[in-house]
Structure formats: C-alpha cells, structure tokens
Amino acid sequence: MSLHIEARDGEIADRILLPGDPLRAKYIAETFLEGARCFNRVRNILGYTGTYKGQRVSVMGTGMGIPSISIYVHELLESYGVTKLIRVGTCGAMREDIQLRDVLIAQGATTDSSIIRNIFGPAINYAPLADFDLLRTAYKKAREHNLSVRVGNIVSVDRFYDEEIDNKKLTDYGIMAVEMETAALYILAAKYKAHALGIFTVSDHLLTGAACTAEERQTSFNDMIRIALDTAVSE
Ligand SMILES: O=P(O)(O)O[C@H]1O[C@H](CO)[C@@H](O)[C@H]1O
Ligand SMILES: O=c1cc[nH]c(=O)[nH]1
C-alpha cells in the first residue's frame, strides 16, 4: 500500500490508463477490460485491473490538476513499479481547425505550473515530452482504426477558470488545446525512466463555446480509449 492507493503488491499491472475522472476509470474497466477487479477506493479514486486482448492492464482516476495527478503517478511509479502510463483525458480545443470530439495526442505539454520551477529552479524551462515509442505506436494504432488524430503541443494549466492567460499567444505558437495534468505526468515519467503519453478527446471548444455533456465526457470517448488500450498492450 501507499498513502493514497490501497492496492497490494501485484494488484496493479505494469501498464495503466489514467483518466482524470474516476467514473471514466470505472467505465473503461466495465466496458473494455475482462475480469476487472477494483484495487482502489481511497478517496473514491477508483482503480481497476483486468485484461485487454489477453494482457493485464490497469486503469485509475487521477483527479484534476497537477497536484492531484502528481500524487497518484508518484505512488504508481515509486511503490507499484508501473512502467507505462497513458493519460486518457478531455481537453478544450483552442484552434478553429480542431473540432469537438477530435482526438489529440500530446507530443509536448507546455505548462504555467510551478512544478518546473520547483524542480529545476529559475534558469531552466524544462520541456515535458511524450515517450516517443508510445507516441509512434498510438499514432499507428489510430491510423489502423481509420481514426484521424493530431499530434502536437498542448498546455497543462493550473487554473481551469483563468481570465489572465493569453490563449491567442499560445495558439500562435502552435498549442492545440488545454488540459490540466500532462506536464506533470511527463516530468515524473522522465524522472523514473518510465514511459508516458497523453491522449485526449476534445470535450469543449474555447473559441465556439461548444461542449459535450457531463455524461458524454464520461462515456463517449471510446476511440481514444481503444487507441490507448491498444498502445498499452503493444510490446
Ligand atoms: O477529463 P479529465 O481527464 O479530468 O481532464 C480535463 O478535465 C478536467 C477539467 O474539467 C481536468 O482534469 C482536465 O485536464
Ligand atoms: O482543462 C480543461 C479541460 C477541458 N476543457 C477545458 O477548457 N479545460
């Protein structure tokens, strides 16, 4: 056990999907995994392990924001020896050429979080990056399923409601979308020599105001989930 995860040794697979919403974890386990068993209920951050295409895979919520995901990813890496972590998140599109329900893959995760400064000090602006092998595999799997995905830079912000952020500047420099956790996932995975990737479904659009319902957010992101699971079990 670790402080926030009550699983016993061996109950968590070495590869795990990480949605922010614990109910999305439950949905993934019940819909896509065979023989899924719950290994965590602490704080209702639900976690499950089952099999997908014959291989053990886990899925667990991370909560919202960098402080929350940092706790769970740290404990998964430090106490449970997880080696492949794939975030399956929602995001807000920031560009006109990206639509509701599009699937995006974060090659990089720009951030305004103090996590970079806290770790590296004021002189270094570390660039959190996806694991190249996972990224390449996810892209290939998407193409095999005839799904179009976009690969590029996203921004992991500290505040969901942020009136001060300059979104226009971020999009001018190629940022596709906004979410709240991936920079920390990539940094922690790098520290522990693990492999991490963030895959997203666009749940709302910052320019048009279009949005999926809360229920759709929880359940309607099957394309992203299939890509993530196929990537998790490859090699
Ligand atoms: O849907 P999840 O995976 O939680 O991701 C996004 O949704 C939450 C905000 O509504 C933040 O956690 C953000 O990163
Ligand atoms: O963090 C997020 C997630 C979805 N949509 C947003 O606008 N922000």
Side-chain angles (χ1 to χ4, degrees), residues 19-21 24 63-65 87-90 160 179-181 217:
D21 183 354
R24 198 179 313 138
M64 288 186 278
R87 169 158 156 66
V88 280
T90 63
F160 185 90
E179 56 84 63
M180 299 180 68
E181 293 86 15
R217 274 175 172 245

Side-chain angles (χ1 to χ4, degrees), residues 43-216:
R43 291 179 181 245
N44 278 332
I45 296 289
L46 302 171
Y48 303 83
T49 299
T51 61
Y52 178 78
K53 297 190 175 172
Q55 293 215 49
R56 283 182 87 227
V57 183
S58 296
V59 56
M60 188 177 83
T62 62
M64 288 186 278
I66 281 175
S68 185
I69 193 172
S70 296
I71 289 171
Y72 296 106
V73 167
H74 177 97
E75 293 182 16
L76 289 168
L77 292 164
E78 179 78 38
S79 304
Y80 293 97
V82 170
T83 57
K84 273 190 198 174
L85 308 95
I86 303 181
R87 169 158 156 66
V88 280
T90 63
C91 67
M94 292 167 62
R95 297 200 324 227
E96 273 170 13
D97 60 337
I98 298 174
Q99 313 299 326
L100 224 52
R101 298 175 191 281
D102 280 0
V103 178
L104 311 179
I105 298 178
Q107 184 176 16
T110 297
T111 188
D112 63 357
S113 164
S114 60
I115 188 174
I116 306 258
R117 213 172 46 247
N118 287 345
I119 296 173
F120 298 98
I124 299 291
N125 292 307
Y126 182 84
L129 294 181
D131 177 81
F132 179 71
D133 289 335
L134 285 184
L135 172 53
R136 184 173 49 183
T137 303
Y139 187 77
K140 197 165 145 254
K141 296 289 173 194
R143 298 302 292 260
E144 283 170 14
H145 289 299
N146 265 338
L147 299 169
S148 75
V149 291
R150 285 161 190 272
V151 180
N153 207 347
I154 54 123
V155 61
S156 304
V157 297
D158 261 351
R159 286 184 294 156
F160 185 90
Y161 298 107
D162 185 346
E163 286 164 8
E164 286 74 29
I165 196 165
D166 188 346
N167 283 333
K168 163 94 172 57
K169 181 168 283 181
L170 290 169
T171 54
D172 283 349
Y173 282 79
I175 299 290
M176 303 186 294
V178 57
E179 56 84 63
M180 299 180 68
E181 293 86 15
T182 302
L185 171 65
Y186 287 0
I187 291 169
L188 287 168
K191 179 179 175 190
Y192 283 85
K193 313 284 179 280
H195 307 274
L197 183 67
I199 309 179
F200 305 90
T201 304
V202 174
S203 61
D204 52 87
H205 207 296
L206 271 58
L207 297 178
T208 65
C212 298
T213 64
E215 195 187 346
E216 284 170 331

Side-chain angles (χ1 to χ4, degrees), residues 24-38:
R24 198 179 313 138
K26 184 169 189 276
Y27 170 77
I28 293 169
E30 289 174 351
T31 312
F32 293 92
L33 301 187
E34 281 178 33
R37 295 190 57 180
C38 186

